[in-house]
Amino acid sequence: LLAGSIAVGFLKEPLSGQLSGTPLLRDRLLAVLPPEHPLAACQQINPAMLAGEPFIMLEVGRENEFADFFKSAGVTPVIRYRAKDDYTVMSMVESGLGMSVLHELVLRRNPYKLEIRDFTKTVYREIMVAYLPQSKTSPVVGEFLRFMTEAIQVQKLWETY
């Protein structure tokens, strides 16, 4: 994006000072538990309840985001495994190898038997359409931003039914 080879990109906040952005949606962080896990009986999970549980950490640049979540909760996860792919994490959790935290967008249409719970305090990342400020004047970029904003609003409306 900064090199100019693309006009827009989907990024999470915060954006580089050289970029502008339009917020699209908030993507919640959720607890992912194996089937039959005792914590699945809870409607919501207090992050402190994760202390001592075997954990599967998603890597590839997102570890810091998850590490920040645990640090702010005052919890040190017992990392049993590390994986580089969301679906690998979900498969490992389904197999009972541990629990994890993943974002709602990844979990929406997963094929695995998982227990997914919200946290007592909602944690999310803001997904933005990012662009260079001068590119917003481009008719194509302007139309794309309008389309994406409208599409997200339609999706939110659809999910309320």
Side-chain angles (χ1 to χ4, degrees):
L1 191 57
L2 291 173
S5 58
I6 59 173
V8 296
F10 296 97
L11 301 173
K12 66 179 185 76
E13 279 192 314
L15 298 178
S16 156
Q18 299 168 316
L19 298 173
S20 294
T22 299
L24 284 181
L25 57 98
R26 289 181 169 179
D27 188 16
R28 290 183 301 159
L29 187 63
L30 301 167
V32 184
L33 310 165
E36 311 297 322
H37 192 282
L39 290 178
C42 302
Q43 291 288 328
Q44 295 182 318
I45 304 290
N46 183 317
M49 297 163 83
L50 304 179
E53 294 283 340
F55 192 80
I56 302 164
M57 178 66 80
L58 179 65
E59 291 186 331
V60 190
R62 290 175 268 205
E63 185 171 357
N64 288 338
E65 184 178 346
F66 298 143
D68 290 344
F69 164 73
F70 284 112
K71 185 177 179 181
S72 69
V75 174
T76 302
V78 179
I79 300 172
R80 182 172 287 170
Y81 301 101
R82 295 176 185 269
K84 296 183 186 259
D85 176 77
D86 303 304
Y87 291 94
T88 301
V89 170
M90 287 186 268
S91 178
M92 293 171 77
V93 170
E94 180 185 47
S95 297
L97 298 175
M99 60 184 311
S100 194
V101 294
L102 293 171
H103 286 283
E104 183 176 20
L105 284 175
V106 169
L107 294 166
R108 277 195 178 160
R109 293 184 179 95
N110 83 75
Y112 302 97
K113 294 176 184 148
L114 302 169
E115 295 293 334
I116 299 168
R117 298 291 181 272
D118 204 353
F119 289 103
T120 51
K121 180 182 177 198
T122 303
V123 179
Y124 63 87
R125 62 182 174 179
E126 186 89 37
I127 304 293
M128 314 276 290
V129 175
Y131 49 88
L132 292 169
Q134 63 271 22
S135 69
K136 190 173 183 181
T137 57
S138 156
V140 173
V141 171
E143 182 61 20
F144 179 75
L145 294 174
R146 186 197 64 72
F147 171 80
M148 287 305 303
T149 303
E150 184 178 298
I152 292 296
Q153 293 307 315
V154 168
Q155 178 69 25
K156 286 178 183 175
L157 179 63
W158 181 254
E159 289 174 358
T160 61
Y161 289 104

